Amino acid sequence: MAIDWQKEVDARKDDILNDLKELLKVRSEREDSKITADAPFGPGPRDGLKQMLSYGQRDGFTTKNVDNYAGHIEFGQGEETLGIFGHMDVVPAGDDWQTDPYDPVIKDGKLIARGSSDDKGPSMAAYYAMKIIKELDLPLSKKVRFVVGSDEESGWGDMDHYFEKETAPDFGFSPDAEFPIINGEKGNVSIQVHIGVSNEGNYTLKKFQGGLRDNMVPTNASAKVTTITAEQADAMTIAFNEYLGINPISGTSVKEDDTTVIFQVAGKGSHGASPQFGHNAATWLAGFLDKYDFAGGAQNFLHVASAYIHEDFYGEKLGVAFEDPKMGKLTMNAGIFDFDEEKEDAFINLNFRYPQGTSSETLQAGIKNAIGRYDVTLVEGGHHMIPHYVPQEDPLVTTLLDVYEEHTGEKGEEQIIGGGTYGRLLERGVAFGAMFPDSVDTMHQADEFMSLDDLYKATAIYADAIYRLAK
């Protein structure tokens, strides 16, 4: 049976867009301060999960909510299950948006909102692909289950809980990356560098903060500094303006009193898997402050950030650089900086995307060797994921590449990325779309968007792919 998948999608464009807009209005950022038994990651992720599941209930699928951690939408019959994995949680919107990040706007064919490309837009495309197959009453020999998560951007606690209660699908994909396919993902581990908060110099670092998540390049950073004399404070503000003028950042300095200055820097955000595409506001600020006479823990904090982390995206200064012929280079993102002289210690959170051939233990040994003399303590945190790879000759990979090639006319090749997707949850799991090779990547950035053309084209590709894998 020849099916015009794009025609089926075109007939449902308005429905796809209306459901997606409704979903994007849910502010599904994780909020630890609002966690309850009913909202394990805060009310936003819970509400996003429930909203997505409500579409499945409305459209006659079998649905299940697993304790507001995750859920699924399912149809079909058979002993095997094809899994599709999406997530409703989003990274914090942050600043510098031209529009309200939770009031979707269409401009120049782009749907602008937090989560539009990561991952509510692609998830809606995959859901409607399932809906088309169901409405056409096409015969299937396998179950198709769309697993909906709510903690992908943080610790993956949603999937830990889900798989305690539910059996894993046999194979599948996540619509949370790019076409033609992602069949390999680097390891992902965060290592916190803890440093003391003592101040012993002529300049005092009261506070230094930057970044929102370990998987985001910090867009903004601020520091509160006190000096001994008003003249020192004035000289710092003049030097800071000169520093801004010759570097790819912007910022402000405000005198709180004669000897206290608050410095703020705005850089450029990027996904933590590709830190080289951003300008880390925190390390640029540390680079300015490091030349002043701080001492003790404050000096250690600033110097480590400036001399060992700033503009080092591959861990070379820390002595942990590594490259694998297939998976490529290790990358490093310094995502969170926190120094407060009233706390017990300060920390810098380093997120590594590492290829096969190295390990968290090797990384920690290298870091300790490079900066151990600055009185640091290392702590592994977050959800550690080891490298993942599905061979390109696997039928899952070959089928998805065939579908991509037929719909686009472009040759499909295997790809390995530093980003972590739910595709790695399954031994035979990959990421498949929804960005195309010519798409603009705005994930984790201000004014995130998904092209409507990409949204509808991806829906057709997903429908064809799901049907071929499950028929």
Side-chain angles (χ1 to χ4, degrees):
M1 177 189 301
I3 301 169
D4 188 337
W5 296 107
Q6 196 63 60
K7 180 180 178 181
E8 296 295 336
V9 172
D10 291 345
R12 297 165 174 83
K13 279 185 175 180
D14 290 344
D15 291 340
I16 295 171
L17 188 56
N18 289 336
D19 283 350
L20 179 53
K21 282 184 173 180
E22 185 178 35
L23 188 61
L24 289 168
K25 291 179 180 178
V26 180
R27 186 180 182 276
S28 51
E29 301 176 12
R30 175 170 174 156
E31 295 181 273
D32 288 356
S33 63
K34 297 182 180 180
I35 286 176
T36 65
D38 181 61
F41 309 110
R46 175 201 61 197
D47 294 347
L49 170 64
K50 286 186 172 182
Q51 184 66 45
M52 190 70 221
L53 293 178
S54 74
Y55 301 135
Q57 295 164 356
R58 176 196 67 192
D59 295 330
F61 290 92
T62 298
T63 65
K64 185 172 185 178
N65 184 333
V66 182
D67 306 323
N68 287 337
Y69 280 78
H72 63 240
I73 300 168
E74 186 176 85
F75 78 122
Q77 296 181 346
E79 294 184 2
E80 284 190 290
T81 300
L82 164 64
I84 304 162
F85 290 82
H87 66 90
M88 296 299 106
D89 60 306
V90 297
V91 297
D95 302 319
D96 302 325
W97 284 71
Q98 301 299 310
T99 61
D100 183 336
Y102 294 106
D103 185 9
V105 173
I106 296 175
K107 184 178 180 180
D108 299 327
K110 303 169 183 175
L111 180 58
I112 304 169
R114 177 55 93 217
S116 55
S117 66
D118 186 17
D119 180 44
K120 293 177 181 178
S123 289
M124 189 61 68
Y127 171 71
Y128 262 84
M130 292 172 55
K131 190 171 184 288
I132 289 169
I133 295 169
K134 181 176 180 294
E135 289 176 348
L136 294 178
D137 197 26
L138 299 175
L140 302 179
S141 64
K142 300 177 180 66
K143 293 179 181 177
V144 180
R145 180 188 303 169
F146 180 32
V147 181
V148 186
S150 65
D151 189 40
E152 195 269 353
E153 299 291 2
S154 297
W156 290 32
D158 54 345
M159 292 296 107
D160 291 340
H161 186 84
Y162 179 82
F163 286 121
E164 288 176 0
K165 303 293 184 70
E166 302 293 321
T167 302
D170 296 282
F171 64 104
F173 68 86
S174 174
D176 190 19
E178 59 192 66
F179 293 116
I181 201 168
I182 305 295
N183 58 313
E185 298 182 12
K186 295 177 184 177
N188 185 336
V189 65
S190 289
I191 298 172
Q192 285 191 349
V193 179
H194 288 258
I195 303 174
V197 293
S198 60
N199 272 289
E200 303 168 9
N202 291 323
Y203 294 78
T204 299
L205 185 62
K206 309 293 284 187
K207 287 186 178 181
F208 186 111
Q209 293 178 319
L212 298 170
R213 293 282 178 86
D214 59 357
N215 59 356
M216 300 171 67
V217 173
T219 306
N220 297 286
S222 64
K224 183 176 181 179
V225 175
T226 61
T227 63
I228 294 177
T229 68
E231 289 76 14
Q232 288 174 326
D234 290 338
M236 283 190 82
T237 59
I238 293 171
F240 183 65
N241 288 332
E242 293 174 351
Y243 183 74
L244 296 176
I246 61 174
N247 290 302
I249 53 174
S250 59
T252 60
S253 59
V254 178
K255 291 189 70 176
E256 193 172 78
D257 56 44
D258 287 347
T259 59
T260 302
V261 186
I262 297 176
F263 298 97
Q264 293 185 320
V265 168
K268 178 185 176 183
S270 179
H271 195 295
S274 303
Q276 65 272 26
F277 298 128
H279 295 303
N280 192 314
T283 65
W284 279 104
L285 180 54
F288 168 73
L289 296 175
D290 188 36
K291 62 186 177 182
Y292 289 92
D293 184 23
F294 293 90
Q299 194 274 336
N300 289 341
F301 179 89
L302 294 171
H303 190 65
V304 166
S306 174
Y308 292 90
I309 298 173
H310 178 58
E311 296 287 89
D312 183 15
F313 312 116
Y314 306 106
E316 293 168 347
K317 298 175 186 175
L318 287 174
V320 296
F322 187 83
E323 184 172 4
D324 173 75
K326 181 177 284 291
M327 288 194 160
K329 291 184 177 182
L330 168 150
T331 61
M332 180 186 76
N333 177 55
I336 304 174
F337 295 73
D338 185 54
F339 183 105
D340 186 333
E341 68 169 356
E342 295 184 1
K343 294 182 179 180
E344 291 186 4
D345 67 0
F347 72 88
I348 302 170
N349 195 96
L350 303 177
N351 180 242
F352 293 91
R353 311 300 173 103
Y354 67 93
Q356 56 193 4
T358 188
S359 66
S360 176
E361 292 76 17
T362 301
L363 297 179
Q364 292 184 56
I367 295 169
K368 192 71 174 179
N369 183 62
I371 61 174
R373 62 185 178 279
Y374 297 105
D375 194 24
V376 304
T377 301
L378 306 181
V379 178
E380 181 182 306
H383 190 87
H384 183 186
M385 295 177 284
I386 63 174
H388 171 77
Y389 179 71
V390 180
Q392 55 184 326
E393 60 270 17
D394 187 291
L396 170 65
V397 177
T398 58
T399 299
L400 294 179
L401 287 178
D402 286 345
V403 172
Y404 172 80
E405 291 177 356
E406 290 179 24
H407 281 259
T408 65
E410 301 291 334
K411 177 65 177 174
E413 302 285 354
E414 72 168 356
Q415 293 186 94
I416 296 169
I417 62 169
T421 76
Y422 280 156
R424 70 193 308 151
L425 288 165
L426 306 177
E427 183 176 350
R428 294 183 63 220
V430 300
F432 186 55
M435 287 200 311
F436 291 86
D438 60 352
S439 299
V440 178
D441 183 359
T442 56
M443 292 185 183
H444 296 196
Q445 300 177 40
D447 299 325
E448 175 185 350
F449 71 83
M450 185 172 189
S451 158
L452 292 179
D453 286 344
D454 287 357
L455 173 66
Y456 301 134
K457 186 172 15 172
T459 305
I461 289 175
Y462 288 147
D464 192 357
I466 292 169
Y467 183 52
R468 291 197 204 190
L469 290 170
K471 69 180 180 180

